[in-house]
């Protein structure tokens, strides 16, 4: 380690005997619970609002819900496989055995749980149910025709196997006091309220199921063509409604909101395939892709209306696909083609099926072939594959609703559902109001921002621009090049505009190296990876003397769905260590577009576009600006449902250069797929001598030898560590005048209410323990805040048709009756209906006042350097989400096989899961910003954690 590096590292540990491995007392754990509300805020202009919550009334406080377990089997005792018929069976039970059930109505969840108001006559009851024409996977009709009008089919329809007998066992499980609902109405939450509201949710789901709706968790979707949005590729967005009961300060309410799920295009199978593969003529269909797309979908066989599940396609075309037909003739069974059977034996005309494979609705050892034109896809079948960029954009574009449209849609939904006529709800004593609940909001003033030349201003309506303004910390863009993957683009004009607009903003954009690197037209049709390789070969050949550039502006042909983007980012960040900005400019490039590009470039190269005025003055928010404060954002990004080999990616960003709270850097790494909790933040494992040492996050290294404070001495740590916070804390320490943070504010995204205790007692607990290992006497104070965007509460102006104003905050009436939470609409909703962010303050040792904490959260929505608008969630979380998402894109293009990944990675994986691949090592040149005052952090080549500049 050289003398220059030694100056910027924390002081080395005291000299200790080399063989000393001190004992460490176990840290006593105390179970933490979400903190209670300390009060409501008072800052801002008060404004009346409406919310999509409807009041719940109740008049049966002394009653009980009785919970019963339901078991359904075939008559012979074998288990049921087709759960889709369970509701029909229970409806038949209620219809047939009403007297035996004590004339009680019940709510059934479609699986194993049944609820009644009051007890059934017996704790255990058995019933025999007979259903006619029940579809069952146990039946197979062989090569039956879809037309059941001839004698053979009429005889078949009368066979006993067309009626099914089922045994239903209903046994007592638990009793839930309705007093919990009465307490919730009074704004008090009791231990049984979750169970009681679950019963009410089941009642509403049953109401929707009886109307023929598709049920997706707590959302339901009617089979109505008016609710479909065609987003291309044979996929429709089905608009429905979400319902959930919420306990609030003013009682129990029903939250109703619009919801969307993806469904397969209903109708003729051939039409779906044409749309799915984007071709105009069936002769161009790829039948291998068709087989995968149709697998397990349900079809209605015309004209019999019999529903079947697709198990595959025939190997031969309909004209040549043979099967054995049973015959009563002396000759015995005969071989016949499916085409001849339907046209000659059944007398059905086939217009185009002869030249295409048949739909197989049978089993592998007993196929049942149907001509494709006689099959129609059943409505409301969920589409669970990942959407393309085009489909996502189309869905967003076509599913937006203005505030008046959304309010009208919700009002119509309430009328159509007619919940108060539901017999089970009536028997429970629950009724639901028909009017939106009125709440009081407050509009917080926008924070003052500082830009270049010491100028300050206050954004209006959550927006600002840099017209005639300079950046607060501009960089010099030097040694840069332009590459063009776009066939049509005026690159010379873009370069001139960047230089000209940069000068206006205070950025010195030097002319780029030589000429623009244009893609060889011969490779435009090649795979994306080859196109990127060839472009880099061209750059390296031309710049052999000058050396590699520090920055590359990459021009792409497509904005949202460029196949080049992922391989290009991977090549630059991982292999070459070059900062890059990708753009897809419109035909008419305006100065505002160029300015937005410059903002991203300045941020990526270490500059600062704007900051909060209080960051320099320190007069405001003393708990942040006068005490060393480390602000952290945490998020986990998950791969698509059909990407089993793509791991989840955990990202943690941390602030730097205190007292600034506008600059951040990120650590990113992989973890087990679909795991939301960030694992290995801090982990005690036995070393070679059996003593506990940390293999977690907080560790400093002193020239490749790692020590952790353990009581009065130090323990040597293995080099194979996951260290999400290690670089971030080190960076905060060195960039903040060698100050340790005394306050640590953690913003956590992506967790549900049920995971709050895990955040407090796993993630926060590990961080606290890690601080003790860094230094025994270091006890920073923590504040933990959860940010939720995935909720269904919306706000509307009481008098007006526009979205609520930016800065609107609600912390009363519809918030949690006990916990410390609030809703904030920090941004200006220009399109659709604004979705507020729901913040939950789980823990607050720093002891912010309510107004100060809300002001801090609001202000952190204005420091996102890539935007000139307030954003909907605080910047640390937005950066963490950005880093995780971008590294997820890079991970898609890793070339290692799973076996190779497993051999070099010793991380924990869940049983049956693919091994977790490590994060690719970022090229060391990307670790340092170009400004001379910045520095390299110690580079450990084995380290699997990726360290990013805060705006990459």
């Amino acid at each position: 380690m050289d003398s220059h590096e030694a100056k910027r590292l924390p002081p080395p540990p005291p000299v200790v005997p080399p063989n000393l491995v001190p004992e460490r007392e176990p840290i006593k754990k105390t179970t933490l619970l979400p903190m209670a509300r300390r009060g409501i805020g008072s800052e801002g202009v008060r404004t009346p609002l409406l919310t999509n919550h409807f009041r719940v009334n109740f008049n049966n406080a002394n009653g009980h819900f009785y919970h019963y377990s339901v078991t359904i089997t075939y008559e012979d005792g074998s288990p049921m496989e087709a759960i889709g018929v369970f509701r029909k069976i229970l409806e038949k039970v209620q219809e047939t055995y009403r007297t035996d059930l004590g004339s009680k109505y019940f709510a059934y969840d479609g699986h194993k749980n049944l609820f009644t108001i009051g007890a059934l006559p017996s704790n255990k009851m058995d019933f025999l149910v007979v259903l006619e024409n029940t579809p069952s996977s146990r039946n197979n009709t062989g090569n039956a025709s879809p037309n059941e009008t001839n004698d053979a089919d009429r005889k078949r329809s009368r066979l006993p196997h067309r009626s099914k007998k089922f045994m239903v066992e209903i046994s007592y499980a638990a009793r839930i006091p309705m007093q919990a609902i009465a307490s919730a109405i009074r704004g008090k939450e009791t231990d049984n309220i979750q169970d009681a509201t679950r019963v009410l949710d089941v009642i509403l789901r049953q109401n929707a199921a009886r109307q023929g709706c598709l049920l997706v968790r707590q959302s339901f979707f009617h089979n109505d063509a008016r609710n479909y949005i065609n987003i291309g590729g044979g996929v429709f967005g089905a608009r429905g409604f979400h319902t959930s009961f919420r306990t609030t300060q003013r009682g129990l309410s029903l939250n109703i909101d619009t919801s969307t799920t993806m469904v397969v295009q209903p109708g003729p199978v051939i039409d779906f395939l044409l749309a799915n593969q984007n071709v105009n003529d069936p002769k161009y269909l790829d039948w291998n892709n068709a087989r995968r797309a149709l697998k397990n979908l349900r079809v209605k066989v015309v004209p019999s209306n019999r529903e079947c599940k697709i198990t595959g396609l025939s190997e031969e075309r309909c004209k040549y696909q043979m099967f054995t037909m049973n015959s009563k003739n002396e000759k015995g069974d005969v071989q016949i083609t499916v085409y001849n059977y339907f046209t000659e034996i059944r007398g059905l005309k086939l217009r185009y099926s002869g030249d295409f494979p048949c739909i197989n609705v049978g089993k592998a050892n007993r196929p049942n072939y149907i001509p494709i034109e006689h099959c129609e896809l059943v409505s409301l079948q969920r589409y669970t594959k990942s959407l393309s960029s085009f489909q996502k954009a189309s869905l967003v574009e076509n599913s937006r609703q203005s505030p008046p449209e959304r309010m009208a849609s919700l009002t119509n939904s309430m009328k159509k559902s007619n919940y108060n006529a539901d017999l089970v709800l009536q028997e429970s004593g629950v009724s639901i109001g028909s009017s939106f609940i009125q709440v009081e909001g407050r509009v917080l003033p926008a924070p003052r921002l500082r830009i270049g030349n010491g100028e300050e201003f206050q954004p209006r309506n959550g927006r600002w621009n840099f017209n005639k303004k300079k950046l607060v910390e501009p960089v010099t863009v030097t040694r840069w090049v332009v590459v063009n993957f776009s066939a049509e683009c005026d690159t010379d004009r873009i370069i001139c505009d960047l230089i000209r607009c940069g000068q206006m903003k205070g950025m010195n954009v030097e002319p780029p190296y030589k000429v623009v690197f244009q893609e060889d037209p011969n490779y435009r049709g090649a795979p994306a990876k080859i196109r990127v390789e060839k472009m880099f070969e061209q750059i390296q050949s031309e710049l052999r003397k000058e050396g590699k550039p520090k920055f590359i502006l990459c021009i792409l042909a497509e904005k949202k769905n460029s196949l080049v983007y992922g391989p290009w980012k991977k090549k630059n960040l991982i292999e070459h260590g070059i900062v890059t900005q990708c753009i897809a400019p419109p035909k008419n490039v305006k100065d505002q577009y160029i300015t937005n590009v410059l903002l991203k470039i300045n941020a990526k190269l270490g500059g600062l576009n704007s900051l909060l005025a209080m960051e320099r003055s320190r007069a405001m928010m003393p708990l942040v600006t006068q005490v060393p404060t480390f602000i952290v954002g945490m998020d986990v990004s998950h791969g698509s449902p059909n990407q089993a080999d793509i791991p989840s990616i955990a990202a943690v960003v941390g602030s730097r250069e205190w007292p600034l709270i506008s600059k951040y850097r990120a650590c990113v790494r992989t973890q087990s797929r679909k795991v939301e909790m960030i694992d290995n933040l801090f982990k005690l494992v036995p070393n070679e001598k059996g003593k506990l040492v940390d293999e977690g996050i907080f560790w400093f290294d002193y020239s490749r030898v790692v020590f952790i404070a353990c009581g009065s001495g130090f323990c040597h740590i293995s080099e194979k560590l996951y260290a999400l916070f290690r670089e971030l804390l080190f960076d905060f320490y060195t960039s903040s005048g060698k100050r340790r943070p005394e306050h640590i504010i953690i913003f956590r995204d992506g967790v549900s209410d049920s995971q709050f205790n895990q955040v407090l007692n796993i993630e926060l607990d590990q961080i606290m323990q890690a601080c003790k290992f860094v230094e025994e006497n270091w006890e920073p104070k923590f504040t933990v805040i959860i940010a939720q965007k995935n909720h269904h509460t919306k706000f509307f102006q009481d008098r007006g048709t526009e979205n609520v104003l930016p800065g609107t905050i609600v912390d009363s009436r519809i918030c949690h009756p006990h916990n410390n939470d609030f809703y904030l609409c920090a941004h200006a909703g220009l399109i659709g209906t604004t979705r507020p962010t729901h913040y939950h303050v789980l823990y607050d040792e720093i002891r912010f006042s309510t107004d100060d904490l809300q002001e801090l959260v609001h202000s952190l929505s204005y420091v996102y350097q890539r935007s000139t608008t307030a954003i909907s969630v605080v910047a640390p979380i937005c950066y963490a989400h950005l880093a995780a998402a971008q590294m997820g894109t890079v991970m898609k293009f890793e070339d290692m096989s799973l076996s190779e990944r497993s051999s070099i990675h010793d991380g924990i994986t869940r049983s049956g899961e693919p091994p977790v691949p490590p994060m690719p090592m970022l090229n060391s040149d990307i670790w340092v910003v170009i400004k001379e005052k910045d520095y390299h952090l110690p580079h450990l080549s084995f380290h699997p954690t990726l360290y990013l500049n805060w705006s990459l």
Side-chain angles (χ1 to χ4, degrees):
M1 179 170 64
D2 59 29
S3 59
H4 176 70
E5 185 179 11
K7 291 181 181 178
R8 53 183 175 77
L9 291 173
V15 177
V16 295
N19 298 326
L20 176 63
V21 181
E23 297 287 345
R24 178 160 179 82
E25 295 182 2
I27 299 174
K28 295 182 180 180
K29 293 185 178 181
T30 302
T31 301
L32 299 177
L33 297 174
M35 64 175 290
R37 186 186 307 278
R38 291 176 179 156
I40 61 174
S42 59
E43 297 293 329
V45 179
R46 299 183 184 277
T47 179
L49 302 171
L50 297 175
T51 183
N52 58 334
H53 286 238
F54 298 82
R55 193 173 306 281
V56 174
N57 300 305
F58 182 64
N59 60 10
N60 191 12
N62 296 323
H64 287 82
F65 291 120
Y66 279 75
H67 177 198
Y68 294 89
S69 177
V70 178
T71 303
I72 302 177
T73 62
Y74 289 103
E75 186 181 17
D76 60 5
S78 57
M80 278 283 291
E81 299 172 359
I83 64 173
V85 76
F86 280 14
R87 287 190 184 274
K88 292 182 179 179
I89 294 174
L90 264 294
E91 287 177 4
K92 190 71 172 181
V93 168
Q94 183 149 41
E95 175 186 330
T96 308
Y97 300 99
R98 179 166 177 76
T99 303
D100 299 88
L101 293 169
S103 299
K104 286 192 174 296
Y105 299 104
F106 55 68
Y108 176 55
D109 71 351
H111 295 279
K112 294 182 177 295
N113 301 292
L114 181 146
F115 302 93
T116 63
I117 292 83
L120 293 176
S122 176
N123 283 348
K124 184 176 180 180
M125 310 180 77
D126 296 297
F127 304 101
L128 175 64
V129 176
V130 179
L131 288 188
E132 300 293 334
N133 299 321
T134 304
S136 171
S137 60
R138 291 160 59 92
N139 295 334
N140 192 294
T141 57
N143 292 96
S145 165
N147 188 348
E148 296 184 348
T149 59
N150 58 29
D151 293 339
D153 292 324
R154 279 196 294 271
K155 291 178 181 179
R156 185 162 45 245
S157 68
R158 291 195 296 267
L159 290 177
H161 71 254
R162 300 297 287 173
S163 297
K164 280 293 175 183
K165 295 181 180 180
F166 305 95
M167 297 301 300
V168 180
E169 178 184 285
I170 300 177
S171 55
Y172 172 79
R175 189 174 69 166
I176 305 166
M178 291 185 179
Q179 180 61 41
I181 298 178
S183 298
I185 297 293
R186 297 194 299 271
K188 297 180 180 179
E189 194 173 50
T190 60
D191 293 339
N192 300 110
I193 187 58
Q194 289 187 349
D195 292 331
T197 54
R198 176 192 173 198
V199 177
L200 298 181
D201 284 331
V202 169
I203 295 174
L204 298 196
R205 282 174 56 82
Q206 179 174 269
N207 179 292
R210 286 173 174 168
Q211 298 180 48
C213 294
L214 167 67
L215 305 182
V216 183
R217 293 179 292 277
Q218 289 181 263
S219 297
F220 55 90
F221 305 88
H222 289 277
N223 185 17
D224 188 340
R226 293 173 296 181
N227 297 332
Y228 290 155
I229 304 167
N230 190 346
I231 62 173
V235 183
F236 285 178
R239 181 177 291 163
F241 298 93
H242 165 92
T243 63
S244 61
F245 287 92
R246 312 290 296 181
T247 55
T248 70
Q249 295 151 305
R250 289 297 180 93
L252 190 66
S253 67
L254 177 63
N255 179 207
I256 301 183
D257 193 21
T258 57
S259 180
T260 303
T261 192
M262 302 303 108
V263 297
V264 175
Q265 175 182 322
V269 170
I270 200 69
D271 291 349
F272 164 74
L273 293 177
L274 292 173
N276 183 253
Q277 299 187 24
N278 193 27
V279 296
N280 296 322
D281 194 313
K283 67 183 179 181
Y284 299 120
L285 288 172
D286 183 328
W287 291 103
N288 288 326
N289 289 339
R291 182 176 285 105
R292 290 190 292 269
L294 293 174
K295 181 76 171 178
N296 293 327
L297 293 180
R298 299 193 320 277
V299 290
K300 180 177 66 175
V301 180
V302 181
S304 68
N305 287 332
R306 183 164 53 94
E307 281 193 19
C308 307
K309 184 172 74 173
I310 298 176
T311 56
L313 299 178
S314 63
E315 295 297 326
E316 300 288 343
R317 288 184 293 170
C318 184
K319 286 183 177 179
Y320 306 110
Q321 181 63 54
M322 306 292 294
F323 77 98
T324 302
M325 183 180 69
N326 296 331
S327 175
K328 295 181 181 180
N329 298 331
E330 296 179 358
K331 297 180 180 180
D333 296 344
V334 298
Q335 289 287 315
I336 188 173
T337 66
V338 176
Y339 183 86
N340 288 340
Y341 173 79
F342 276 85
T343 56
E344 297 175 6
I345 306 299
R346 303 304 307 276
L348 297 174
K349 183 178 179 180
L350 298 180
R351 294 180 293 115
Y352 57 82
S353 295
D355 295 323
F356 305 124
C358 303
I359 301 292
N360 184 9
V361 296
K363 295 183 178 180
N365 60 347
R366 194 178 180 188
N368 180 5
Y369 297 124
I370 308 293
I372 196 168
E373 65 187 86
H374 281 291
C375 296
E376 293 186 354
L377 289 169
V378 176
S379 299
L380 295 179
Q381 296 190 75
R382 293 191 68 198
Y383 181 85
T384 57
K385 298 181 178 63
S386 58
L387 299 180
S388 68
S389 298
F390 281 124
Q391 289 172 322
K392 291 177 182 177
S394 178
L395 178 64
V396 171
E397 181 69 25
N398 292 287
S399 61
R400 293 168 176 153
Q401 287 182 305
S402 66
E405 290 174 336
R406 186 174 292 255
M407 291 183 72
S409 179
L410 297 179
T411 300
N412 291 335
S413 173
M414 283 293 294
K415 292 179 180 179
K416 186 174 183 178
S417 299
N418 195 19
Y419 290 128
N420 291 331
D422 187 280
L423 296 176
V424 185
L425 211 59
Q426 287 180 4
E427 192 173 0
S428 69
V430 171
S431 62
I432 301 170
S434 58
S435 302
F436 289 78
I437 291 179
Q438 188 171 41
V439 298
E440 183 178 72
R442 294 175 287 115
V443 181
L444 302 179
R448 293 189 64 81
L449 300 182
R450 172 172 290 193
I451 52 175
N453 297 330
E455 181 184 350
E456 293 185 5
F457 68 96
Q458 190 164 23
R460 299 181 59 184
N461 198 33
R463 304 176 67 85
W464 66 97
N465 59 57
F466 276 92
N467 292 339
K468 301 180 181 179
K469 297 182 179 70
K470 295 186 181 296
L471 308 180
V472 66
E473 290 184 9
V475 299
T476 296
V477 183
T478 182
R479 289 178 57 190
W480 67 290
V481 299
V482 179
V483 301
N484 183 19
F485 286 100
S486 174
E488 297 180 2
C489 182
D490 188 349
T491 53
D492 291 338
R493 180 185 172 186
I494 289 177
I495 293 171
C496 292
D497 288 345
L498 284 171
I499 296 173
R500 176 178 56 83
C501 291
Q503 291 175 344
M504 295 169 60
K505 310 306 172 194
M507 285 181 67
N508 180 19
V509 182
E510 296 181 355
Y513 277 162
K514 296 191 176 183
V515 296
V516 176
F517 291 94
Q518 301 283 356
E519 182 180 23
D520 188 336
N522 295 324
Y523 292 104
R524 283 184 185 149
K529 183 178 178 181
I530 301 299
R531 297 173 65 186
V532 171
E533 292 286 352
K534 293 300 180 181
M535 180 63 78
F536 263 97
E537 289 178 6
Q538 185 181 349
I539 295 173
Q540 290 170 332
S541 175
E542 291 285 339
L543 300 181
R544 186 175 292 105
K545 294 182 180 179
E546 294 85 350
K548 71 179 182 181
K550 290 184 176 181
F551 170 71
I552 299 178
L553 180 68
C554 176
I555 302 175
L556 303 175
E558 303 91 357
K559 182 178 180 181
K560 293 287 187 181
N561 63 328
S562 175
L563 299 176
V564 172
Y565 179 83
W568 175 258
K569 284 291 185 181
K570 178 180 182 292
K571 192 77 173 177
N572 280 276
L573 299 180
I574 307 303
E575 298 182 27
H576 293 279
I578 302 174
V579 177
T580 179
Q581 174 64 50
C582 295
I583 63 173
K587 292 183 179 180
N588 184 18
V589 178
K590 297 182 179 179
D591 281 2
Q592 184 61 53
Y593 179 87
I594 296 296
T595 298
N596 291 338
V597 173
L598 286 169
L599 294 179
K600 294 182 179 181
I601 295 173
N602 189 60
K604 289 186 177 186
L605 296 181
L608 195 59
N609 301 328
S610 63
L611 50 78
L612 299 171
M614 72 176 187
E615 296 179 72
R616 295 298 191 197
S617 69
R618 298 201 190 188
M620 300 176 62
M621 204 90 54
L623 290 177
V624 174
T625 60
Q626 296 179 17
V627 180
T629 300
F630 184 42
I631 298 179
V632 178
M634 301 167 61
D635 188 25
V636 177
S637 174
H638 306 292
S640 301
N642 60 332
Q643 294 176 321
D645 59 340
I646 300 297
S648 293
I649 298 176
V652 180
V653 308
S655 60
R656 62 191 310 267
E657 296 185 27
W658 178 83
L660 295 186
I661 59 175
S662 293
K663 277 195 172 184
Y664 296 85
R665 279 187 174 169
C667 262
V668 187
R669 78 164 182 83
T670 56
Q671 65 180 36
S672 298
R673 184 174 179 268
K674 297 301 180 185
V675 174
E676 182 57 47
M677 291 297 109
I678 301 178
D679 54 14
N680 290 335
L681 285 169
F682 174 82
K683 183 173 66 174
L684 292 178
V685 296
N687 63 9
E688 62 275 6
K689 296 186 177 181
K691 305 302 180 182
L692 292 180
V693 294
D694 171 36
E695 286 204 356
I697 56 162
F698 282 104
W699 55 282
F700 294 102
D701 74 289
Y702 301 98
S703 186
R704 301 291 300 239
V705 180
V706 183
F707 290 90
I708 298 294
C710 286
S712 59
F714 294 85
C715 302
H716 184 265
I717 306 298
S718 166
E719 287 189 342
K720 293 183 179 180
L721 304 176
Y722 287 133
L724 279 178
F725 276 10
R726 168 247 186 197
E727 292 93 345
L728 300 179
L729 274 176
F730 186 87
D731 184 51
F732 179 90
Y733 177 85
T734 53
S735 68
S736 304
K738 296 186 177 180
R739 295 182 179 88
R740 291 175 307 179
E742 296 180 27
H743 292 167
I744 298 179
I745 303 172
I746 299 172
F747 288 94
R748 181 66 161 95
D749 187 29
V751 295
S752 63
D753 295 19
S754 63
Q755 296 171 313
F756 287 175
N757 286 340
Q758 295 180 60
V759 172
L760 286 173
N761 295 289
I762 297 178
E763 292 183 347
L764 177 60
D765 179 70
Q766 289 176 359
I767 294 172
M768 287 178 168
Q769 290 186 53
C771 291
K772 288 290 186 182
F773 265 75
V774 171
E775 184 173 331
E776 181 70 20
N777 296 323
W778 180 33
E779 295 184 353
K781 294 180 179 179
F782 288 88
T783 293
V784 179
I785 303 173
I786 303 294
Q788 290 180 334
K789 291 287 287 181
N790 189 23
H791 63 85
H792 291 272
T793 294
K794 303 290 190 299
F795 297 109
F796 309 93
Q797 292 196 33
D798 192 12
R799 298 179 184 87
T801 59
E802 302 297 323
N803 270 308
V804 296
L805 296 175
T808 297
I809 193 167
V810 176
D811 61 358
S812 62
R813 297 192 181 184
I814 64 159
C815 292
H816 195 277
H818 174 75
N819 296 347
N820 190 359
D821 67 329
F822 60 91
Y823 295 89
L824 175 62
C825 300
H827 62 299
L830 302 181
I831 302 175
T833 302
T834 299
R835 173 179 293 185
T837 300
H838 193 185
Y839 292 99
H840 302 260
V841 185
L842 299 190
Y843 192 76
D844 184 22
E845 283 185 316
I846 301 174
R847 296 195 68 82
F848 285 99
S849 69
T850 299
D851 283 322
D852 281 351
L853 187 59
Q854 292 175 357
E855 181 187 357
L856 173 64
V857 172
H858 184 222
S859 297
L860 285 173
S861 302
Y862 280 80
V863 300
Y864 188 57
Q865 298 297 305
R866 298 162 63 96
S867 175
T868 56
T869 65
I871 55 177
S872 61
V873 68
V874 290
I877 283 179
C878 205
Y879 285 133
H881 179 76
L882 180 69
Q886 185 160 105
M887 289 305 104
T889 301
V890 170
M891 289 296 293
K892 293 178 183 178
F893 298 94
E894 283 296 281
D895 298 326
M896 290 185 297
S897 66
L898 289 178
S899 59
E900 291 173 323
R901 292 172 179 175
S902 181
S903 65
I904 65 173
H905 182 69
D906 58 357
I908 300 173
T909 61
R910 293 180 292 172
S911 176
E913 289 279 336
V916 181
M919 184 69 68
M921 175 54 62
L922 187 69
N923 186 287
S924 60
D925 287 348
I926 241 13
W927 291 25
V928 62
V929 270
I930 298 214
K931 295 164 59 177
E932 294 296 327
K933 68 177 184 178
D934 283 308
Y935 47 84
H936 278 282
L937 291 177
H939 176 66
L940 305 178
S941 60
F942 62 83
H943 204 291
T945 299
L946 186 58
Y947 183 46
L948 286 170
N949 190 10
W950 46 264
S951 58
L952 284 177

